[in-house]
Amino acid sequence: MQSVYVPYGAYWSTPFSRWQMSLSELHSFDLAAQAAAKAADKRHLPLEALDFGVLGTTVPQRGAFYGLPWLAAEIGAPQLAGPTISQACATSARILAEATAAIRNGDASASLAIATDRVSNGPHIYYPNPSGMGGAGEHEVWVLDNFAKDPWAGCAMVQTAENVAAEFRITTAEQNELVLLRSEQYQAALANDRAFQRRYMVEPIEITDRKGRVLVSCTGDEGIRPMERAAVEALKPALPDGTVTYAGQTHPADGAAGMIVTSADKAAAFSQDPAITIEIVSFGQFRERKAYMPAAPIGASRRALAAADIGIDQVAAIKSHNPFAVNDIAFARAFGIGVEKLNNYGCSLIWGHPQGPTGLRAIIELIEELVISGGGYGLFQGCAAGDTGMAAVIKVS
């Protein structure tokens, strides 16, 4: 089975914008396509050499039926075909796994994994019911209704965090300390005029219409609130008798990210530095008990580590998709490590949650952290709707 590589620098992310801010009225495919085209031009990526693509997106928009082929053509790679995948917040890990599998199976030599979502102004969907009283149908607010209730578990996502907090005996005070730590870690990515983020971020992200007029210009993440101890500790739990405050959970956001994975012989052609080797080692997936979503990454990580034949002690850096502070505390306890081992330079708890691209940005930051620190194994893990989780192991040399 072929080894699969991420060429150094053959990845990118837009800034993430808190919902209802600068990116809130853009079609997410336009955002993803223009950001990808700009990244490809700056990094001299040979898009014509791509022979497979996979798109991840979770919030429907007009024309999304045409999926990856439409988006690929807009980027400048009209030769690409491939699926469009939605797996809630595990979408990034899933599309990376699909792009990797195409190469390992010999079906492709250079794959594009691209993800985008606009959580702002999500669709309001009407489901016809001609046999209903008066012929009236049903209505769903795609984003908010699904945040509020898992149709299988019968509860809101925040309740799953409370269930895990109760099982692991996680207090509000512990969550507050974690939030303040994660905020400090994100500040490191802003140091020296955002030197860390500039290693991978497309900016300024200027989205234009067909006539070339600039519709939106955005530099750096938007809507991130400073975490001050007094303000964090003053917040009350969101649910009666709960522990999770609004500081202890992420915010919806808009954004896009992309990554190219290749066979060994193509890696150098796409790499910004062929001396750096980034290998995709393994993936893991797991489904937790009903209504225990934040614990799912524990099982997924165990499977990914087992597939890589390594232990947690051999992992040099860890990134998580952590919609709740509870996620990281439960994970750290399960593996017997400190919470400070996770999420240097930032995480979705702080920079937001556009669902589809969230994990891809985290994996990109994981790569850059390992390059800075001298290499080694990296673990990405995160939860997703339906009490599921996915994890990925990479190795930087």
Side-chain angles (χ1 to χ4, degrees), residues 169-227:
R169 299 182 180 180
I170 301 170
T171 65
T172 300
E174 288 178 281
Q175 294 174 55
N176 288 344
E177 291 299 326
L178 189 283
V179 169
L180 293 167
L181 172 61
R182 296 292 179 254
S183 182
E184 289 178 9
Q185 290 170 309
Y186 177 76
Q187 293 304 310
L190 306 184
N192 301 317
D193 193 26
R194 300 178 43 256
F196 180 79
Q197 291 183 351
R198 291 182 188 279
R199 297 170 73 95
Y200 67 86
M201 193 172 283
V202 179
E203 58 174 15
I205 184 67
E206 291 187 342
I207 305 302
T208 60
D209 63 14
R210 298 294 179 184
K211 296 182 179 180
R213 294 173 297 195
V214 176
L215 301 174
V216 168
S217 180
C218 179
T219 300
D221 298 322
E222 287 190 320
I224 298 177
R225 298 167 183 168
M227 296 292 183

Side-chain angles (χ1 to χ4, degrees), residues 262-341:
T262 71
S263 57
D265 60 336
K266 289 283 184 71
F270 284 89
S271 181
Q272 305 301 291
D273 185 348
I276 298 172
T277 302
I278 306 158
E279 183 180 357
I280 298 178
V281 180
S282 65
F283 294 92
Q285 180 173 272
F286 187 76
R287 185 168 184 178
E288 256 293 347
R289 295 152 292 162
K290 182 192 291 188
Y292 280 81
M293 181 183 73
I298 297 169
S301 296
R302 286 175 175 153
R303 289 182 174 179
L305 291 169
D309 196 26
I310 61 171
I312 195 70
D313 58 321
Q314 294 170 269
V315 175
I318 304 171
K319 279 282 196 176
S320 68
H321 162 52
N322 48 357
F324 301 100
V326 165
N327 285 60
D328 286 356
I329 299 170
F331 181 90
R333 287 189 183 171
F335 282 94
I337 61 176
V339 293
E340 70 280 355
K341 186 174 175 65

Side-chain angles (χ1 to χ4, degrees), residues 20-296:
Q20 304 309 120
M21 297 189 74
S22 291
L23 305 181
S24 64
E25 297 183 26
L26 292 174
H27 196 298
S28 64
F29 284 29
D30 287 339
L31 174 65
Q34 293 192 38
K38 184 172 182 177
D41 180 65
K42 181 178 180 180
R43 296 162 171 77
H44 307 291
L45 301 176
L47 297 180
E48 67 281 359
L50 296 171
D51 49 11
F52 180 75
V54 56
L55 166 64
T57 188
T58 73
V59 182
Q61 288 179 73
R62 188 178 296 276
F65 176 85
Y66 285 89
L68 184 279
W70 174 25
L71 182 52
E74 293 289 341
I75 293 169
Q79 77 278 7
L80 287 186
T84 299
I85 292 176
S86 176
Q87 195 177 339
C89 301
T91 296
S92 282
R94 174 56 58 197
I95 65 170
L96 191 57
E98 292 298 316
T100 298
I103 295 171
R104 283 184 173 159
N105 295 337
D107 298 325
S109 61
S111 301
L112 171 67
I114 190 165
T116 187
D117 262 326
R118 189 190 71 196
V119 181
S120 298
N121 305 315
H124 293 212
I125 298 177
Y126 178 78
Y127 301 100
N129 182 17
S131 62
M133 184 176 293
E138 298 179 351
H139 172 261
E140 178 182 44
V141 181
W142 182 271
V143 173
L144 296 179
D145 286 355
N146 286 294
F147 282 176
K149 186 176 181 180
D150 176 338
W152 166 241
C155 65
M157 290 186 179
V158 68
Q159 183 61 58
T160 72
E162 292 292 0
N163 294 344
V164 173
E167 179 167 282
F168 283 83
R169 299 182 180 180
I170 301 170
T171 65
T172 300
E174 288 178 281
Q175 294 174 55
N176 288 344
E177 291 299 326
L178 189 283
V179 169
L180 293 167
L181 172 61
R182 296 292 179 254
S183 182
E184 289 178 9
Q185 290 170 309
Y186 177 76
Q187 293 304 310
L190 306 184
N192 301 317
D193 193 26
R194 300 178 43 256
F196 180 79
Q197 291 183 351
R198 291 182 188 279
R199 297 170 73 95
Y200 67 86
M201 193 172 283
V202 179
E203 58 174 15
I205 184 67
E206 291 187 342
I207 305 302
T208 60
D209 63 14
R210 298 294 179 184
K211 296 182 179 180
R213 294 173 297 195
V214 176
L215 301 174
V216 168
S217 180
C218 179
T219 300
D221 298 322
E222 287 190 320
I224 298 177
R225 298 167 183 168
M227 296 292 183
E228 298 177 354
R229 179 173 293 276
V232 168
E233 293 179 346
L235 292 172
K236 303 297 182 184
L239 297 181
D241 302 318
T243 64
V244 179
T245 71
Y246 285 108
Q249 51 190 300
T250 190
H251 57 270
D254 308 320
M259 179 176 286
I260 293 171
V261 297
T262 71
S263 57
D265 60 336
K266 289 283 184 71
F270 284 89
S271 181
Q272 305 301 291
D273 185 348
I276 298 172
T277 302
I278 306 158
E279 183 180 357
I280 298 178
V281 180
S282 65
F283 294 92
Q285 180 173 272
F286 187 76
R287 185 168 184 178
E288 256 293 347
R289 295 152 292 162
K290 182 192 291 188
Y292 280 81
M293 181 183 73

